[in-house]
Amino acid sequence: MALKLVVIGAGMASGRAMEHLIEANDELYDITLFGAEPRGNYNRIMLSPVLSGEKSYEEIVTHDAAWYEAHGVACRFGERVTAIDRMRKVVISEKGETPYDRLLIATGSAPFIIPVPGRDLDGVLAYRDLGDVNRMLGYASKPGTKAVVIGGGLLGLEAAAGLKARGMEVTVVHLMGHLMERQLDASAGYLLQRELERRGIHVICGANTREIRGEGKVEAVLLEDGRVLEADVVVMAVGIRPNFGLAQSCGLKYNRGLLVNDEMKTDDPEVFAIGECVEHRGVCYGLVAPLYDMARVAARNLLGFHETFEGAETSTKLKVTGVDLFSAGDFAEGEGREEIVYRDAMRGIYKRLVIESDRIIGVVMYGDTADGGWFFQKLKDREDISAIRDTLIFGPAYAGGAALDPMAAVAALPDDADICGCNGVCKGKIVAAIRGGAETLEAVRAVTKASASCGSCTGLVEQVMALTLGDGFSVPSAKPICGCTDLTHEDVRRLIKSRELKSMPAVWQTCGWKTSCGCHVCRPALNYYLLADWPEEYHDDPQSRFVNERNHANIQKDGTFSVVPRMWGGLTNPRELRAIADAAEKYNVPTVKVTGGQRLDLLGVRKEDLPAIWADLNAAGLVSGHAYAKGLRTVKTCVGTDHCRFGTQDSTGLGVALEKRMWGAWTPHKVKMAVSGCPRNCAEATCKDVGVVCVDAGFEVGVAGAAGMDVKATEPLAKVAGEDEALEIIVAFVQLYRENARYLDRPYKWVAKVGMDWVRERVVDDVEHRRELVRRFDLSQKVFQKDPWAERATPATERAYAPLADLTQEAAE
Amino acid sequence: MIAQHRWIDIGPLAEIPVRGARVVKTRFGCVAVFRTATDEVFATSNACPHKGGPLSEGIVHGRKVTCPLHNWVFDLETGEAEGADEGRIETFAARIDDGRVLLDRALLVKGVA
């Protein structure tokens, strides 16, 4: 006579357990299955495709009526179990008592509902079962429905994507700083957020829900910061908790979950428990793989074996079509932990392995998760990966095979593959640096920082060098700044930052300068590096400036100077023109010329007259045009929508705004900009250091053009809709150039060394990084955005600019 | 006639920036008066023999100055151009006395080096 097995809970775990049991022996037990939902076992993790409409309920059913019938399972769906009497070994339900010999509890979990006011309103839903899905779909039938999903974890995001697919306007509100923080690190979380936003899902991180508002039904969600989000439906997906009230009330031991031993038995040897309701060795599981493992173990032990569940490493995949995401293990940074990172920003691919004691302990993948299982296997096996570490990140295609050729693997890498995880240096940047003359490992390190931190990628960097240089590799030729030092510009820039060198003597001392006070080559460079890196601490040294910057005027071949007042965006007016004409006459200026940058140049002014002519021009509201500076020179513009019948945007306005924001900033070399109001490009923006071409849809920002000794068109940096964003991107680009380029490299030379992708990632893609750049630029501007003419139109400067003594009347003897 | 003093006081040392220079006008052109990092003073002709660049506008390093126009480097003591460049600037005796800069009156006589 068969034993009686009662199963409470018709979920994925119990379904799997029954399968194992019946497969092994379908005569041992008479099975009765209780399920609270009015339907049988279905694949709960496939609810998201049902919500999004990619699958139907029928497709996700794992065990249908025919299966139960064929295997003699008595189904009691929709019938609530109210108590368990362990003394009499009966399960008490709405329709009576059911005796058992063995009991399997698989009551799963319940969604956690955060205790905010309004949580009981009509329209506040959980996301747990098919009923929830059907309720959500009920709301989706009305066009323009607004949904707020509280919780940016796995479930919340799947719900959000599903609701969006059903045509709702969806906002995700997440408490933590980035999405899926339990499964993803910040980088992958960011890529995910970007992708969801690209799909039109609005994401708010770091937001706490204060209240759900509405009269009878949901109308809005109020956040702690005061923001109000309109909502017709609110989905709470902040987490789950084990559901074991039934077991609890019959006296079984519990903690966070119903306690089970390794054989999946509760403290009553006749009562087994599996799934999300249990706690095993202190862990409650919410993912399917360990639950299936529990089901297998419980089934075997119900058959009389003594198998054990040892706990499990879990991995996660997000089931949103087109979003590939994989995470497993522990990916926090920590003492003794190393990481290997592969980043392909353009294609949105990110892979990160966390290594501890030569073993993979964490995997985070985004964009391309094909190798996730392979890494996960190594993680679970605690396999020593030291022998294949060099190519590990490239997956099974390159590692583990007999013919392991790291060179082939490196050769096959795309240019934007990350080589140095510490400093985020991609292969393309290293190749560009090598082609730019960095032919030793030290030089590559200095130029790119690749292998300059933990050094673990040194071998990879050397392979890139060997591939790029061929036989030329190993020729040591790092070029020092000048004869005063053996260090390169890049070495010194790095040391100034890392050693916090804030004065010229500090640099000379720390870097072992061979001369007492440098020379005309290194001093202007050091002066620039110091003031760019330490705007608030370093004091500009005029004696380390070339003549033009020291005098704030351009020296001419006869020793006279030229004076160029600033004309914002090339605009002027009669009052300014009169002042310029008056000054030209008063100081006998022999030549007045229109410059290439849309300014007026007064040539042939004597040095001793400079302070006076500046004072006169200042009085008319004119300031220095910095025509002498390694800094922002001019922003050329066309008349744009103001006058031109072809103009698409206010190009003059943007040019003026750019110039007002950026004047006075010192840069490694001069920076010339232009804004053209349409693609006819009358301002010649496409050969400037920074050039904007306006189009109907917004602004095309190009950088790294040249029209001097080299002629080169700009490369596209970003296309943006708004003037503010264009401005911010340009400011960030210039700041990145200020912080990283070598002195006297124009932007196009610098970009050739670091690569456009590297620039774009920091200036366009990584919004946080961009804002930091802007913040540092603005800080620097607080110090340097001062009109040098106004500061020097003083008697002291007048005296300093005049001869110290006039001995023309002095007698010789 | 009483012989005039050999030294002419041209002004306080503080009026010349450290690692900088000022010019003094004479009937035969400008003389550049340099002040080094160690507060030595040197006087030379202001014009570079190459293209006449104003040496007083150059960058002063050690006992040298670099011409602002084309980077010729001159030794302030000897007046000789350094490196591959060939040329020489006139030098004149100069000294500091009690914070004042004094130049040799000889520089007022054209052709005296």
Side-chain angles (χ1 to χ4, degrees):
Chain A
M1 164 127 178
L3 293 170
K4 293 187 182 63
L5 172 66
V6 172
V7 180
I8 306 176
M12 300 182 69
S14 69
R16 181 59 67 95
M18 287 186 291
E19 238 174 67
H20 280 298
L21 197 58
I22 289 163
E23 207 170 277
N25 186 336
D26 64 356
E27 296 182 351
L28 188 59
Y29 286 104
D30 279 340
I31 302 175
T32 305
L33 173 63
F34 286 94
E37 283 184 70
R39 59 186 76 81
N41 302 60
Y42 58 89
N43 190 344
R44 197 182 297 278
I45 61 173
M46 298 307 279
L47 278 177
S48 294
V50 175
L51 176 60
S52 63
E54 289 160 84
K55 281 195 189 304
S56 67
Y57 168 67
E58 286 70 29
E59 287 175 90
I60 68 165
V61 168
T62 53
H63 303 87
D64 58 16
W67 187 89
Y68 295 120
E69 195 181 333
H71 297 93
V73 176
C75 297
R76 308 274 285 272
F77 295 145
E79 186 178 340
R80 190 165 292 278
V81 175
T82 53
I84 300 165
D85 185 338
R86 290 197 286 136
M87 295 299 289
R88 292 164 49 230
K89 293 175 83 170
V90 293
V91 168
I92 301 157
S93 62
E94 286 158 340
K95 290 182 183 166
E97 296 187 351
T98 310
Y100 69 80
D101 296 303
R102 300 280 186 282
L103 183 61
L104 178 62
I105 298 178
T107 44
S109 63
F112 183 72
I113 301 294
I114 50 171
V116 291
R119 63 186 180 280
D120 300 325
L121 288 172
D122 202 21
V124 179
L125 304 174
Y127 181 34
R128 188 61 200 153
D129 58 33
L130 197 63
D132 296 325
V133 170
N134 287 335
R135 277 185 286 276
M136 286 184 214
L137 294 181
Y139 287 95
S141 56
K142 209 175 82 213
T145 303
K146 293 185 177 67
V148 171
V149 176
I150 301 176
L154 199 59
L155 268 184
L157 296 184
E158 292 188 6
L163 295 173
K164 182 71 195 174
R166 294 289 187 173
M168 294 196 195
E169 282 177 37
V170 183
T171 301
V172 175
V173 174
H174 189 48
L175 184 59
M176 308 305 286
H178 68 265
L179 295 173
M180 288 182 72
E181 78 287 345
R182 288 174 61 193
Q183 289 88 15
L184 298 182
D185 55 17
S187 296
Y190 164 72
L191 284 173
L192 176 61
Q193 179 169 345
R194 197 177 63 173
E195 171 61 25
L196 293 175
E197 284 172 345
R198 199 186 60 75
R199 290 160 177 242
I201 296 172
H202 186 210
V203 178
I204 305 174
C205 285
N208 203 357
T209 304
R210 188 196 294 172
E211 191 187 332
I212 300 171
R213 287 180 173 172
E215 292 290 327
K217 66 178 198 41
V218 171
E219 284 162 19
V221 172
L222 173 67
L223 302 182
E224 279 300 342
D225 62 12
R227 269 183 285 183
V228 177
L229 310 170
E230 275 184 56
D232 302 303
V233 57
V234 172
V235 177
M236 286 244 198
V238 290
I240 54 169
R241 54 181 171 190
N243 178 22
F244 56 93
L246 199 58
Q248 190 183 340
S249 61
C250 72
L252 292 168
K253 284 189 182 158
Y254 65 94
N255 184 34
R256 272 199 303 144
L258 180 55
L259 289 172
V260 291
N261 63 14
D262 289 356
E263 294 189 7
M264 306 316 296
K265 285 179 181 165
T266 64
D267 61 309
D268 179 337
E270 315 282 67
V271 180
F272 289 74
I274 55 172
E276 289 178 329
C277 63
V278 308
E279 176 178 334
H280 171 261
R281 296 191 191 174
V283 182
C284 295
Y285 293 93
L287 297 165
V288 75
L291 307 190
Y292 280 167
D293 210 22
M294 288 180 193
R296 185 186 55 77
V297 169
R300 297 290 290 169
N301 294 337
L302 280 166
L303 291 163
F305 296 94
H306 292 281
E307 293 205 6
T308 56
F309 172 71
E310 304 282 346
E313 293 286 353
T314 56
S315 66
T316 305
K317 274 194 151 190
L318 183 71
K319 289 164 299 300
V320 172
T321 305
V323 179
D324 283 322
L325 187 155
F326 180 91
S327 123
D330 183 352
F331 44 82
E333 289 173 22
E335 192 78 20
R337 289 182 179 182
E338 298 153 17
E339 48 186 349
I340 301 174
V341 177
Y342 174 105
R343 185 181 270 126
D344 182 340
M346 287 314 294
R347 285 160 61 213
I349 293 176
Y350 173 82
K351 302 180 187 182
R352 176 161 167 256
L353 300 177
V354 182
I355 311 282
E356 191 172 53
S357 310
D358 290 328
R359 280 158 180 88
I360 299 175
I361 62 162
V363 184
V364 181
M365 306 174 82
Y366 186 90
D368 171 10
T369 56
D371 298 336
W374 189 74
F375 291 128
F376 187 46
Q377 194 58 47
K378 296 204 172 332
L379 182 151
K380 287 192 289 187
D381 295 345
R382 297 198 51 71
E383 186 181 320
D384 186 328
I385 51 84
S386 51
I388 55 167
R389 179 170 171 145
D390 287 353
T391 56
L392 184 65
I393 194 79
F394 312 119
Y398 287 110
L404 182 67
D405 180 5
M407 287 292 277
V410 172
L413 286 178
D415 271 354
D416 39 13
D418 231 325
I419 299 287
C420 173
C422 297
N423 297 305
V425 186
C426 65
K427 179 185 167 189
K429 181 176 167 185
I430 295 173
V431 171
I434 296 165
R435 299 214 168 113
E439 298 193 336
T440 65
L441 183 62
E442 286 68 28
V444 169
R445 266 186 196 149
V447 176
T448 66
K449 292 190 181 175
S451 79
S453 292
C454 77
S456 60
C457 62
T458 303
L460 275 178
V461 174
E462 284 171 340
Q463 282 160 15
V464 173
M465 297 187 70
L467 281 166
T468 312
L469 292 171
D471 294 338
F473 184 50
S474 83
V475 181
S477 66
K479 217 168 153 245
I481 295 179
C482 61
C484 301
T485 177
D486 293 330
L487 297 172
T488 63
H489 281 273
E490 289 76 10
D491 288 334
V492 171
R493 274 218 95 160
R494 187 157 42 84
L495 286 166
I496 285 173
K497 289 186 178 86
S498 66
R499 304 290 298 272
E500 301 198 0
L501 308 177
K502 299 181 183 178
S503 71
M504 212 136 355
V507 176
W508 295 332
Q509 186 60 37
T510 306
C511 301
W513 239 244
K514 297 182 223 169
T515 50
S516 66
C517 59
C519 69
H520 67 272
V521 178
C522 61
R523 282 237 308 277
L526 292 183
N527 189 56
Y528 168 72
Y529 294 153
L530 288 162
L531 68 82
D533 286 342
W534 310 110
E536 293 183 298
E537 288 109 324
Y538 177 70
H539 295 288
D540 183 30
D541 176 22
Q543 299 314 127
S544 295
R545 295 261 193 190
F546 289 125
V547 52
N548 292 350
E549 289 188 348
R550 189 178 336 114
N551 293 315
H552 293 274
N554 285 47
I555 195 162
Q556 306 300 312
K557 65 181 220 177
D558 62 354
T560 63
F561 288 84
S562 74
V563 169
V564 183
R566 197 167 281 285
M567 290 173 173
W568 310 98
L571 290 176
T572 185
N573 56 48
R575 191 172 55 90
E576 289 180 352
L577 290 172
R578 257 182 222 112
I580 290 167
D582 288 346
E585 280 182 354
K586 181 172 170 187
Y587 299 97
N588 298 313
V589 171
T591 308
V592 179
K593 179 171 187 319
V594 177
T595 72
Q598 304 180 334
R599 306 297 141 100
L600 282 172
D601 193 350
L602 309 180
L603 292 133
V605 181
R606 297 185 309 155
K607 184 182 177 188
E608 46 266 50
D609 288 337
L610 287 173
I613 195 170
W614 293 342
D616 287 2
L617 293 169
N618 264 179
L622 290 157
V623 298
S624 166
H626 289 87
Y628 47 83
K630 311 217 181 304
L632 176 71
R633 291 284 178 90
T634 55
V635 182
K636 265 177 94 164
T637 67
C638 67
V639 291
T641 42
D642 276 355
H643 298 281
C644 179
R645 69 202 158 107
F646 296 119
T648 61
Q649 308 278 353
D650 178 14
S651 49
T652 327
L654 178 56
V656 171
L658 268 171
E659 203 161 337
K660 293 257 179 190
R661 181 82 176 263
M662 310 202 72
W663 71 272
W666 301 105
T667 43
H669 207 312
K670 60 188 167 189
V671 173
K672 294 181 176 180
M673 303 191 186
V675 184
S676 282
C678 79
R680 287 166 191 78
N681 194 16
C682 295
E684 294 158 345
T686 49
C687 61
K688 294 288 182 277
D689 297 297
V690 176
V692 180
V693 176
C694 302
V695 291
D696 278 330
F699 305 86
E700 295 178 354
V701 180
V703 296
M709 290 213 272
D710 293 314
V711 179
K712 177 180 169 295
T714 50
E715 296 174 52
L717 176 65
K719 248 188 196 181
V720 296
E723 191 177 295
D724 288 347
E725 197 182 359
L727 202 62
E728 194 178 85
I729 283 174
I730 292 167
V731 167
F733 171 78
V734 170
Q735 180 65 10
L736 194 70
Y737 168 62
R738 295 183 74 232
E739 291 177 4
N740 292 284
R742 76 152 59 182
Y743 190 62
L744 300 186
D745 265 0
R746 287 287 284 271
Y748 77 98
K749 285 203 171 158
W750 167 67
V751 169
K753 286 176 186 169
V754 299
M756 262 315 270
D757 291 343
W758 186 87
V759 171
R760 194 177 290 112
E761 195 178 311
R762 280 153 184 79
V763 171
V764 183
D765 299 345
D766 186 340
V767 176
E768 208 36 57
H769 198 280
R770 183 204 302 172
R771 288 196 186 124
E772 274 305 301
L773 286 166
V774 171
R775 189 190 61 75
R776 292 199 291 272
F777 181 82
D778 290 342
L779 177 80
S780 170
Q781 286 297 76
K782 273 190 193 160
V783 178
F784 293 110
Q785 200 170 56
K786 298 194 174 102
D787 176 26
W789 288 2
E791 288 185 311
R792 281 162 187 78
T794 63
T797 307
E798 229 165 288
R799 217 169 42 243
Y801 276 33
L804 181 59
D806 184 350
L807 304 182
T808 48
Q809 301 306 312
E810 192 84 6
E813 38 201 319
Chain B
M1 286 269 279
I2 309 161
Q4 284 174 304
H5 292 293
R6 179 188 169 194
W7 297 101
I8 309 168
D9 183 337
I10 55 161
L13 178 66
E15 292 278 307
I16 309 175
V18 178
R19 283 192 231 111
R22 294 289 294 277
V23 293
V24 172
K25 278 187 162 177
T26 76
R27 267 173 284 176
F28 306 111
C30 284
V31 168
V33 184
F34 298 92
R35 176 181 177 184
T36 68
T38 53
D39 278 351
E40 292 178 289
V41 288
F42 296 95
T44 72
S45 55
N46 190 36
C48 176
H50 175 219
K51 298 270 182 183
L55 295 174
S56 58
E57 299 290 351
I59 287 180
V60 179
H61 45 105
R63 287 177 160 184
K64 294 173 205 166
V65 66
T66 300
C67 175
L69 293 196
H70 307 97
N71 291 337
W72 281 35
V73 179
F74 296 93
D75 186 314
L76 295 173
E77 244 183 327
T78 65
E80 294 291 342
E82 292 216 321
D85 300 322
E86 283 186 25
R88 195 178 163 279
I89 49 174
E90 280 184 281
T91 58
F92 310 99
R95 66 184 184 93
I96 303 165
D97 187 18
D98 196 20
R100 307 290 297 182
V101 180
L102 310 179
L103 294 189
D104 190 339
R105 191 174 296 273
L107 65 82
L108 298 179
V109 182
K110 176 77 175 162
V112 176

